[in-house]
Amino acid sequence: MSALTGSPLKVSAAATRTVGRRKRKLLFRSRTAAIGFFLVSFWVLAALFAPVLPLASPTQQDALALADPTPSAKHVLGTDLLGRDVLSRLIYGARTVLTVAPLSVAVAMLVGITIGMLAGYYGGWIDLLISRISDILLAFPVVVLYVILIANIGPSILNIVIATTIASAPGIGRITRSLVLGLKQQEYIAAAKLRGENALYIMVVELLPNCRGMLIVDACLRIGYTIITIGILGFLGLGLPPPNPDWGGMVKESTTVLNVWPLMSLFPAFAIVSLVLGFNLLADGLRELRKP
Amino acid sequence: MNQAVAVEPELVAVPPANSPLLEIRDLRIEFGGQNESLVAVSRLSFDVAAGESYGLVGESGCGKSTTAMAIMGHLGSNGAVAHGSIRFQGRELVGASTKVLRSIRGRGIAMVYQDPMSALNPVKTIGAQLAEVPLLHLGVSRDEAYDMAAAMLKDVRLPDPGEMLKRYPHQLSGGQQQRVVIAMALLGRPSLLLLDEPTTGLDVTVEAAVIDLIAELRRRYATSLLFISHNLGLIAECCDRVGIMYSGELVEEAAPEALFRRPRHPYTQGLIDCIPDIGAGKHARMLAAIPGHIPLPSERPQGCVFAPRCAGFKAGACDQPGLPLESTDEAGHLVRCVRWKEVVRTQTRVPPEPHGDAAPASAIELAEVSKVYRVRHRKLLKANEGVSFDAGKAEIVALVGESGCGKSTLARIVTGLDRASSGEVRLAEQNIAQLSAHERPRSLLQSIQMIFQNPESTLNPSHSAAFSIRRSLKNFGICKGRTAINQRMRELLEMVRLSPALADRKPEQLSGGQKQRIAIARAFAANPSLIIADEPVSALDVSVQAAVVTLLLDIQRKRHTTMLFISHDLALVRHVADKIVVMYLGKVMEKGTVDEIFGGVTHPYTEALLSAVRSIDPDKRPRQRIRLEGEMPSPIEVPRGCRFASRCPRKVGPICDREPPPVRRLSETHEIHCHIEAEALGSRALVLLDAGSSAA
């Protein structure tokens, strides 16, 4: 096939002037990416417009609904044990999840990319030190790590971010390190050294942009995992303090009445599934699109 | 698996006695894209007769490998034969059932691919992979299959076949792997062997051995060959008939002798002029490049595909569609050019500007440079040992040797990408051997710049093409301010004959030749006094290679830049260099001026390198071929005496293994490290036929 490699490259070259538009078009050409994008944007829009949507307050109790929490015209998805509107709590819960998860991942990416970049670029004892510490952290069961951390420092957004960073940064570091190990052998890195660029410049300007694709896909997947983690923490009672709406917490509350009203636990569970699935499909789709 | 072998009546249809073995007629191959389909091969017809060796030559993108894939029925999911026929032994292969194709592959037609490592399964032993062929295609027993595999390994000259069968592909060298692949192809006793660039990744001396082997096996097994290559010299020597492909069609076909002596098509003529020939030096002629570039499949012109690049283009004649492949006044010589009778061969033998012959002041001096790496088990890998040479101002010194000889390590030490373990590299009275790039002051970095080998990795894919040129101008303070930098950048692009409009393109939108020009502009942007060019054109097509080399020499001459030119291509080196340093396994074997190295009195290793050169000119072929036995020893366990002793065809005796060779000084500039006496070194007949005449 070597005979052909020259030409398709140039064909694509002629058309790349409208790269942005093409990429957006491509996003919808991959069905996986399109479905993922749809699921994620559904929740993002819902969370964004929650205050203007015709919803009951997520914290106000409706005493009348306590007797019959099943779905009705007033409460489309029913109410919870305290008579609060489930639909409203789901949508307001999305606000929490969609703030905490991306924020946690962003901080974890920042830390992970930094340590991975340092380990990969410098190698030697720096690499050895970073890699061994990462190995130890990665060997810890993640949930146990969360429970120990949150139980000790108390549940809050900041603490969830700290816990996620400690749990995810080593993995992100590893990915970055392996990417950098391959890229630093490239001749353009040698060329940069020969024109006197310093190490920081080479890492940020020459190496980082070429890691971009893989790291974006990884970030998407990690947001999904973090949503599950936040759910688990909520379920264990280590989520955000009440009365904040919290998907994991909602599943937990409903377990006491699981035999009577199973729907009550299914709605928040479904919310978690759809959002996580959305992020995973989006990541898969982006990976497909990365390929030439 | 026996069903596949059980021969069905219609499969053994004996072809008529005089029909060709392989017959390709009006072949058109298309690849379906998202929006448009791409015509890889537009119309192609040729025959391969039984027992014949047919060479298909062309530059990348001309469709030669696609043709091979089509013959094997491996066009992939998006490729298809849109039109035409491929007949093998009288049977149509286009549209044939998988069953028919299976019965032909391996037994009828076998293929040897370019990269042996990807043709071998890394988790299976050589024996298992070889034995599979007779097991599948000949229906023999397992023991018989292994015996056949061992016998075939012996035929392809691999040492110790019994032991070899138990090894895994990664335990073999590149040359050995390619021999195994050839053995595998021959085990099915095919009547046609397709060779797709079979020696492209191999060193010259290994290539020579593989080509000999193919020729010998062809005689023994009476196999026909379809030899695909971009290397004209190789094709000229191994083939009975040659077809020149350009942009998806055949433009000329003839016997090699006729083709290379009297090329009729302007493209063939241009291609021949692009190739540096081993018989002429730097001051004899300049390489002529073909202007323009190969048209994209989507922008092929009507009529002659070469018309946009042809000096003899005539409107009304060359732009008529459907130009036929006409016969010329010679039997069997076909050409697709309406004006072949009028086209006069204009070989541009422009003598380059004379070069000042006074010995220039030394610009860089290497003295006893050694580089040792620590590897596992506390062993030492000696990449360079005691390398000394110097380069005068505005001189071009070529470092020559096969892969693993340490020439690239030396380049890394001079540029500061690596540090020497010991020794001195003196530049302007300063020893820089132990200074790595980040320890070097700006002015020192500026004075040494490098042009890299691989156009695909020389530019950062995330930035624009001119990004690194701008940075270089800014970092070294050559221009101040945005406008000045952009202005200078445009000048530099014009200097390498690129349109300034390319500056903001991404590297993926540029061709290999364009990227390498940007790399040259980047290196010269710093106004360096020394340029290190590490195989700057080895990854480019011949016509592009000629253009880039000519450009590089032109700039170098104008700017009086000293250059270390690293290459494995001796013919190219002869065209480029003033002085040559021949290296083997980390040590200098010989150094001297170009005339001295090509003058006849040489080190046995240089002699072997020279004799492995393939020339398209039947008059300039080496008089004899020297074949090196065995493999280059590992740099971890280097021989105690002469590094070359284990493979040397002129070994004196045990002294070669015991003691490092003395330096034989033949002249002020010419040094040979060898145990053979200086007089004896010169007593042998010249390897190159015309070596004496051109030196005179």
Side-chain angles (χ1 to χ4, degrees):
Chain A
M1 288 288 82
S2 69
L4 265 181
T5 45
S7 15
L9 260 181
K10 282 181 212 154
V11 171
S12 75
T16 28
R17 248 154 257 146
T18 51
V19 152
R21 219 169 62 203
R22 267 186 65 136
K23 259 191 187 156
R24 243 166 288 150
K25 257 189 177 170
L26 270 171
L27 189 66
F28 293 106
R29 193 169 288 160
S30 152
R31 187 176 292 186
T32 324
I35 296 174
F37 184 73
F38 169 76
L39 285 172
V40 172
S41 33
F42 168 78
W43 283 111
V44 169
L45 290 176
L48 217 57
F49 292 110
V52 293
L53 290 176
L55 289 171
S57 155
T59 47
Q60 201 178 31
Q61 301 183 351
D62 183 355
L64 293 175
L66 275 175
D68 179 21
T70 52
S72 62
K74 197 175 170 201
H75 303 287
V76 184
L77 296 181
T79 53
D80 69 1
L81 293 176
L82 298 174
R84 295 175 298 197
D85 185 63
V86 169
L87 178 64
S88 166
R89 283 183 72 75
L90 280 183
I91 286 176
Y92 277 89
R95 294 195 118 193
T96 337
V97 159
L98 284 172
T99 332
V100 179
L103 186 72
S104 311
V105 172
V107 176
M109 290 301 273
L110 201 68
V111 176
I113 290 172
T114 310
I115 59 171
M117 199 58 99
L118 291 172
Y121 185 74
Y122 285 109
W125 66 267
I126 298 180
D127 182 21
L128 203 70
L129 188 76
I130 291 175
S131 295
R132 288 300 87 80
I133 294 175
S134 301
D135 284 346
I136 294 169
L137 285 174
L138 282 171
F140 254 81
V142 183
V143 177
V144 177
L145 193 68
Y146 281 127
V147 172
I148 295 172
L149 282 167
I150 304 284
N152 279 304
I153 53 183
S156 76
I157 290 189
L158 179 69
N159 294 343
I160 291 178
V161 170
I162 294 173
T164 327
T165 304
I166 294 174
S168 317
I172 301 167
R174 269 196 174 180
I175 293 176
T176 316
R177 175 180 172 272
S178 66
L179 287 172
V180 169
L181 282 182
L183 289 172
K184 76 170 177 178
Q185 303 298 333
Q186 299 285 311
E187 290 168 354
Y188 55 81
I189 301 299
K193 285 182 187 165
L194 293 187
R195 58 168 198 264
E197 307 289 10
N198 60 36
L200 182 69
Y201 182 92
I202 291 177
M203 284 189 253
V204 176
V205 181
E206 300 278 346
L207 290 169
L208 191 58
N210 294 311
C211 303
R212 189 179 46 196
M214 273 292 278
L215 290 175
I216 289 173
V217 171
D218 185 60
C220 259
L221 283 176
R222 275 183 202 281
I223 292 178
Y225 298 149
T226 312
I227 291 166
I228 296 181
T229 313
I230 295 171
I232 294 173
L233 289 176
F235 186 80
L236 293 175
L238 297 169
L240 294 178
N244 285 323
D246 174 18
W247 292 354
M250 287 167 75
V251 175
K252 187 198 169 165
E253 283 163 22
S254 63
T255 48
T256 50
V257 289
L258 206 56
N259 293 334
V260 199
W261 295 307
L263 271 182
M264 203 188 281
S265 64
L266 272 183
F267 287 127
F270 183 73
I272 295 177
V273 168
S274 63
L275 187 53
V276 173
L277 187 70
F279 275 110
N280 285 0
L281 291 179
L282 193 60
D284 274 355
L286 288 175
R287 190 176 301 154
E288 273 171 37
L289 297 175
R290 255 168 44 78
K291 283 183 199 145
Chain B
M1 283 299 98
N2 278 330
Q3 286 94 325
V5 180
V7 204
E8 289 170 31
E10 77 266 19
L11 294 184
V12 282
V14 182
N18 54 356
S19 87
L21 183 70
L22 179 77
E23 197 180 349
I24 293 181
R25 285 285 164 271
D26 294 323
L27 187 68
R28 182 182 173 89
I29 303 169
E30 292 182 3
F31 285 87
Q34 297 271 11
N35 302 316
E36 68 271 84
S37 68
L38 191 147
V39 183
V41 173
S42 46
R43 50 175 167 171
L44 183 69
S45 305
F46 68 90
D47 299 330
V48 180
E52 189 188 30
S53 165
Y54 189 92
L56 211 50
V57 195
E59 297 181 271
S60 54
C62 73
K64 54 191 194 303
S65 294
T66 310
T67 307
M69 289 300 179
I71 297 170
M72 294 301 282
H74 284 317
L75 281 176
S77 56
N78 61 343
V81 173
H83 177 70
S85 80
I86 302 172
R87 295 176 83 80
F88 176 69
Q89 293 178 331
R91 262 196 325 273
E92 181 60 55
L93 299 189
V94 174
S97 69
T98 324
K99 198 175 162 190
V100 172
L101 285 177
R102 276 191 59 134
S103 73
I104 288 170
R105 283 179 203 148
R107 271 201 94 181
I109 310 175
M111 183 151 177
V112 173
Y113 297 88
Q114 178 173 348
D115 179 10
M117 199 58 202
S118 61
L120 294 172
N121 185 339
V123 296
K124 286 168 93 179
T125 60
I126 301 296
Q129 295 185 60
L130 285 174
E132 203 173 54
V133 180
L135 274 173
L136 269 165
H137 295 296
L138 306 177
V140 298
S141 76
R142 200 175 165 279
D143 285 346
E144 277 175 302
Y146 268 87
D147 287 346
M148 289 174 78
M152 188 54 83
L153 283 182
K154 212 172 153 209
D155 278 358
V156 296
R157 303 265 180 73
L158 280 170
D160 204 359
E163 190 56 38
M164 198 61 84
L165 287 174
K166 294 181 203 142
R167 296 219 202 148
Y168 287 90
H170 71 268
Q171 294 170 304
L172 273 57
S173 72
Q176 289 175 328
Q177 284 173 359
Q178 196 58 296
R179 281 162 196 259
V180 169
V181 174
I182 292 169
M184 198 188 282
L186 288 172
L187 267 172
R189 298 285 152 86
S191 20
L192 177 66
L193 190 59
L194 294 187
L195 300 152
D196 188 3
E197 307 263 8
T199 58
T200 300
L202 305 177
D203 274 321
V204 273
T205 58
V206 183
E207 174 185 88
V210 170
I211 293 299
D212 278 359
L213 177 75
I214 291 173
E216 187 199 316
L217 294 172
R218 181 188 151 210
R219 277 194 298 277
R220 185 182 311 171
Y221 294 106
T223 311
S224 301
L225 299 184
L226 177 55
F227 200 119
I228 295 171
S229 179
H230 67 281
N231 187 334
L232 283 167
L234 210 60
I235 292 277
E237 283 191 38
C238 324
C239 297
D240 305 323
R241 247 169 356 120
V242 182
I244 306 274
M245 270 188 93
Y246 180 75
S247 193
E249 54 182 56
L250 216 54
V251 294
E252 188 162 4
E253 185 188 89
E257 185 97 342
L259 188 75
F260 295 117
R261 279 188 204 278
R262 289 173 297 278
R264 303 291 190 183
H265 198 281
Y267 173 65
T268 317
Q269 296 175 355
L271 210 53
I272 290 171
D273 290 344
C274 280
I275 302 168
D277 62 82
I278 190 78
K282 180 174 182 175
H283 309 297
R285 78 164 167 110
M286 277 170 84
L287 299 179
I290 305 176
H293 60 90
I294 300 176
L296 303 180
S298 53
E299 54 187 39
R300 280 188 195 125
Q302 200 185 34
C304 176
V305 279
F306 187 65
R309 304 172 73 184
C310 185
F313 174 77
K314 202 160 110 188
C318 298
D319 48 10
Q320 296 302 311
L323 300 179
L325 207 53
E326 290 176 43
S327 351
T328 63
D329 43 358
E330 281 173 295
H333 195 151
L334 304 174
V335 62
R336 200 189 296 277
C337 177
V338 281
R339 305 183 61 247
W340 68 268
K341 286 190 195 113
E342 307 156 41
V343 170
V344 214
R345 189 159 181 216
T346 49
Q347 201 169 18
T348 40
R349 289 210 176 262
V350 191
E353 292 163 37
H355 198 275
D357 269 353
S362 171
I364 186 164
E365 213 180 309
L366 277 75
E368 295 296 319
V369 174
S370 296
K371 177 68 193 177
V372 177
Y373 291 102
R374 260 167 222 292
V375 289
R376 285 166 302 152
H377 313 303
R378 295 207 193 128
K379 282 183 179 157
L380 298 177
L381 186 152
K382 292 180 179 171
N384 288 129
E385 198 178 327
V387 177
S388 309
F389 65 88
D390 58 40
K393 178 128 186 63
E395 244 180 1
I396 300 182
V397 175
L399 293 175
V400 179
E402 296 175 283
S403 52
C405 75
K407 53 195 196 300
S408 292
T409 310
L410 211 55
R412 292 179 63 85
I413 289 170
V414 176
T415 51
L417 292 170
D418 226 328
R419 270 183 243 210
S421 307
S422 67
E424 289 191 0
V425 176
R426 304 193 71 80
L427 185 96
E429 302 304 307
Q430 191 191 355
N431 178 20
I432 56 169
Q434 277 80 25
L435 284 181
S436 64
H438 66 266
E439 296 162 335
R440 294 186 179 188
R442 278 270 145 96
S443 59
L444 183 56
L445 279 175
Q446 185 185 346
S447 59
I448 305 176
Q449 287 290 305
M450 184 156 175
I451 300 165
F452 299 90
Q453 176 173 13
N454 184 355
E456 299 315 312
S457 91
T458 201
L459 300 176
N460 191 329
S462 297
H463 299 304
S464 71
F467 170 82
S468 51
I469 301 180
R470 289 202 189 97
R471 283 298 298 182
S472 194
L473 291 171
K474 184 164 177 282
N475 284 3
F476 294 126
I478 288 160
C479 306
K480 297 261 186 303
R482 216 196 176 108
T483 26
I485 287 177
N486 277 333
Q487 175 60 30
R488 180 81 192 116
M489 183 268 294
R490 276 194 293 274
E491 286 167 21
L492 285 162
L493 288 186
E494 272 159 25
M495 178 185 81
V496 293
R497 319 239 164 84
L498 284 178
S499 152
L502 294 181
D504 295 316
R505 295 251 184 107
K506 283 280 163 68
E508 60 171 26
Q509 294 166 272
L510 303 175
S511 70
Q514 288 172 329
K515 283 182 229 182
Q516 216 54 347
R517 280 161 197 259
I518 299 260
I520 292 174
R522 171 175 67 193
F524 280 100
N527 289 329
S529 57
L530 175 69
I531 289 254
I532 291 153
D534 187 359
E535 304 259 14
V537 295
S538 66
L540 305 175
D541 269 319
V542 263
S543 71
V544 184
Q545 199 170 28
V548 172
V549 165
T550 316
L551 179 81
L552 186 59
L553 291 185
D554 210 33
I555 303 172
Q556 180 267 341
R557 201 166 36 238
K558 276 183 198 141
R559 297 198 167 202
H560 300 286
T561 316
T562 309
M563 184 148 78
L564 295 187
F565 191 90
I566 298 173
S567 180
H568 66 278
D569 183 347
L570 277 169
L572 180 65
V573 160
R574 185 161 197 189
H575 269 264
V576 168
D578 300 303
K579 289 200 290 195
I580 296 178
V581 178
V582 181
M583 290 181 69
Y584 181 80
L585 204 59
K587 282 197 101 157
V588 173
M589 295 285 118
E590 176 172 8
K591 58 188 173 196
T593 64
V594 172
D595 290 341
E596 284 163 347
I597 299 281
F598 288 88
V601 186
T602 55
H603 190 280
Y605 177 60
T606 317
E607 209 169 59
L609 284 180
L610 287 173
S611 83
V613 170
R614 313 249 153 202
S615 173
I616 50 167
D617 191 336
D619 301 331
K620 284 183 182 151
R621 297 231 171 102
R623 187 171 283 160
Q624 57 169 139
R625 296 250 186 248
I626 298 161
R627 290 290 166 262
L628 296 183
E629 297 296 323
E631 304 281 326
M632 192 188 271
S634 148
I636 298 171
E637 283 143 23
V638 288
R640 209 151 45 94
C642 173
R643 293 279 163 99
F644 188 54
S646 61
R647 298 173 75 196
C648 184
R650 298 179 70 184
K651 204 166 146 182
V652 178
I655 188 168
C656 293
D657 294 317
R658 226 171 36 232
E659 281 172 39
V663 182
R664 310 274 179 204
R665 237 175 249 285
L666 284 92
S667 76
E668 198 141 306
T669 44
H670 197 186
E671 275 179 21
I672 297 176
H673 296 244
C674 189
H675 284 291
I676 304 172
E677 298 288 337
E679 296 75 40
L681 275 171
S683 69
R684 296 246 303 201
L686 299 181
V687 182
L688 291 178
L689 277 174
D690 67 331
S693 62
S694 84

